[in-house]
Amino acid sequence: MSEEFNCLIVGVGGQGGATLTNVIAEAATRKGLRGRMHETLGMAQRGGSVQVQIRLGSQVYSSFIPPGQADVLIALDPNEALRAADYIGKKTTIIMNTSGILPVSVLMGKDKYPDLNEEISLLKQLGKEVYAYDAYELAKQAGSIRAMSVVLLGSLARLNIAPLTRDELYQAMVDTVPKKYLQENIAAFKAGEKEIEKVLGK
Amino acid sequence: MTVIGEEGTTKLLLGNEAIARGAIEAGAHLVTGYPGTPSTEVIETLAAVAKETGMKVQWAVNEKVAVEVATGVAWTGLRAMATMKNAGLNVASDSVLSIAYSGTEGGLIFYVADDPATHAGMAEQDDRLFAKFAALPMLEPSDPQEAKEMVVAAFEISEKNKVPVMLRSTTNTAHMFGDVVFGPVKKLNRTPTYSRDIRRYTKAGPAWCMEQHASLIEKTKKAGKDADEFNRLELTDSKVGVITAGAPWNLLKEAMIRHGLNVSTLKIGVINPLPEEKIRKLLERVDSVLILEELEPLIEDYVLRILGEMGKKVKVYGKIDGTTSPVGEFDQAIVERALGKVLGKNLTPAVDPERQKLIEKAKSLSLRRPITFCAGCPHMGTYLSMLRAMRKLKYSREDVIITGDIGCTILGMNPPFDACWTEVAMGASIGLGNGFERSGIKKPVIAAIGDSTFYHAGIPALIDAVWNQTKIVVAVMDNSIVAMTGHQPTPGSGYTTTGEAAKAVKAEEIARGCGVEHVVVVDPYDVEKATEAFVEALQYNGPSVIVLRRLCAITAIRRKAIGKPLVIDEEKCTGCMTCVKTLSCSALVPVGKKVRINPDVCIGCRICAAVCPVKAIGEGSQHE
Ligand SMILES: Cc1ncc(C[n+]2csc(CCOP(=O)(O)OP(=O)(O)O)c2C)c(N)n1
């Protein structure tokens, strides 16, 4: 099953995981790629964890990504990336927003939010590459924190690791997001691309 | 995703959306149901396009009513479907069993979505057993495309054999996106007709009932034959066979491709009656057979029976020998382990213990996110007031039994409220509460129930409380919406399923109509008044109802009916954290030693303002 592409998106309800999913699914459908996908019930509005599994490939039947088989992990929240560790394998590229949403237990002073440096070093040992940055900040600069997930999408597009080209993802984004938020989403997409270019030194 | 489109269009649809598309293609006149994960999207999808299709799409007050309404339509010769989650079939079952005996004229489908691994809570019940119990034909798809095809076929088969057909899915299929090719849409334009035939449509007298029973058994057998194309047998020269159905079929196919396996397979689409002939053919070919089915060993029991009849020795791997568990849903690892056991090979990828340690470490660092009330949720005001009233009357937490119910209302069982003691089934908070009171236990009882749950199954228990003069406080938390399942309108909302204005059925009128004499309506955002209402009700000697009415915060945001975000006066805030600890509202963010309000999240409900001991929380302008 070499030509299979497994994309795992994790986050917290309301972070824009649905937008990201719609864009990738739309791009794949337009290209005529066969796929299966599912979203775990996150109790989205209620601050729960949300996980979307997207699988593309002619021989994909189940919507479950097998353990260790994610090609890409897009983490809208660092805590949620840790929870998804089972899916990370040596081929996994991790794109992560570093600015997390604090669970109730942290707000109430009972728990401490996971240490970012420790996490990134763990993820680097587990996966292939880790691109971690404050996507909320970049989205804010692009016009609105609403566009945070699209920043990460821009990075995915620029890395060129999906069976979808940068332009295919970009166009699907332009056609999928609400028109009145288009400008901020375009800016966010480009900010995500730039973040990768900085690392790749281009 | 819209399910309107030309024949031949391919779309990525959710299993439930595909079922909705199937109902459109089959020319269904009406689809009704009661929301419940993972079945809800069928009606939501159809409601969104009802104007274009002309279909009647309606949320029912509960599943039993849904089944009855769909049946009434089908008995006039039109096509209809009722949808529900697993627990919903329990509620509907009394009518389903009886309707089965009478059969149908127009195509009639009962769709039930089961939930192995209980992603949405409740029991892991296997409703394939229900089809056997009710003697009704049942189909089960493995993916969205097949789900759509089965709906179209089920309407035909139901009509041809005059028997309702059950369609069953599990979460994995109902919530899986896959490619679906649209077929032609039938325009039936039938005129409803119905004639009196008490021999068929009543249950008066054992002779008629047994006649109906015998006829049902025959019809179901025939329906099974008509649906046989959904049972797919692929024989190879292998001595190993696998029988499966539903979602595990996808896992089996992938494992076969990944490991280049050549086993014989039978993919069962007709759960009742099981395809005896094809099962026999497979068993004739093999020495060992693996039954890949989630939850109960339904197929396995049948295979063992057939093997007994055949007098053939075939080793059966399944639940009974512990190859798979009756608990939870399957994944690749489970299927590979099971296949490996039958084939005597190790198909499970090797684990590197060092790596596994890192994975465990990563997972242990991640924090749980228990679901909480949304910012501005009126239920926060209800529980806060309830607990305050208890304190005012000098009750400790242990002194008052709070029976909880199904829905967002049950989040009151979690910190920081820690209020509810029980959660049983829709409406049970009241019946259970009546029982606690009648035990003679020296603890007052409060039943905390949502509006939709009250209409669904709470009313008979309220009548029971009145009739038996039970001292119980019933808090109907009326947010005008079925919030937990994704914000469907309730009978009290003033809207129909498709958004037209409707008469609102008010909980307080129902309560008074049931004979409750102490009935008050309060706004849970008004913590002072709501607290007073609980104080009075707890002292009232008889059944009392408090209707706590305030629109669900999420719905309010969508309707743009929210207040301005509040602000905390930093000088007044002492950093005592009382607001955070009492409500843990997601709009309250501790920053350093003090608390700030996140203006993107706050909707200005003012519940926290009622909690702050130094009155530091208020409207922005006040402090600017
Ligand atoms: C028999 C049955 N049908 C459906 C459901 C799914 N379900 C869970 S909670 C709920 C209703 C919640 O609505 P409401 O009582 O108004 O409370 P809210 O969530 O709005 O606070 C439903 C329908 C269920 N658990 N059991």
Side-chain angles (χ1 to χ4, degrees), chain B residues 236-306:
Chain B
T236 66
D237 50 15
S238 166
K239 288 282 160 208
V240 174
V242 183
I243 304 179
T244 187
W249 165 245
N250 300 311
L251 296 164
L252 171 65
K253 268 209 84 116
E254 272 186 24
M256 287 173 66
I257 294 169
R258 194 174 309 124
H259 301 288
L261 307 179
N262 173 45
V263 293
S264 288
T265 57
L266 173 58
K267 193 278 207 199
I268 294 181
V270 186
I271 297 301
N272 196 47
L274 285 168
E276 178 176 345
E277 241 172 81
K278 285 181 179 166
I279 292 175
R280 273 179 191 271
K281 276 196 186 134
L282 180 116
L283 293 174
E284 272 159 17
R285 187 68 70 98
V286 300
D287 293 336
S288 41
V289 64
L290 167 66
I291 318 293
L292 276 180
E293 59 186 328
E294 288 165 335
L295 304 179
E296 301 300 320
L298 174 98
I299 300 173
E300 186 176 355
D301 282 349
Y302 190 71
V303 163
L304 288 166
R305 188 180 108 193
I306 293 189

Side-chain angles (χ1 to χ4, degrees), chain A residues 6 19 74 80 90 128 132-134 138 160 174 183 190:
Chain A
N6 296 320
T19 310
I74 301 180
E80 300 310 306
K90 289 191 181 119
K128 184 174 161 208
Y133 54 83
D134 187 342
L138 292 179
N160 212 12
V174 167
Q183 283 319 314
K190 292 190 170 157

Side-chain angles (χ1 to χ4, degrees), chain A residues 37 61-62 64 79-80 86, chain B residues 177 254 332 363 367 369 483:
Chain A
M37 154 181 133
Y61 291 91
S62 171
F64 291 165
N79 182 57
E80 300 310 306
D86 279 326
Chain B
F177 283 90
E254 272 186 24
Q332 278 93 345
K363 287 199 289 188
L367 301 173
R369 292 189 190 274

Side-chain angles (χ1 to χ4, degrees), chain A residues 46, chain B residues 34-37 39-40 62-63 84-92 120-122 373 377 379 405-410 423-426 449-457 477-488 490 552:
Chain A
R46 300 167 192 91
Chain B
Y34 185 72
T37 313
S39 70
T40 312
N62 68 28
E63 294 86 353
M84 65 211 79
K85 72 176 284 158
N86 53 3
L89 186 56
N90 305 341
V91 174
M122 312 304 286
F373 290 119
C377 177
H379 299 342
D405 221 304
I406 318 284
C408 289
T409 57
I410 195 61
E423 181 188 19
V424 171
M426 297 285 285
I449 183 168
D451 50 335
S452 182
T453 306
F454 177 69
Y455 300 117
H456 178 287
M477 300 156 76
D478 181 2
N479 56 5
S480 182
I481 274 290
V482 197
M484 181 60 110
T485 49
H487 311 94
Q488 295 79 21
T490 65
C552 159

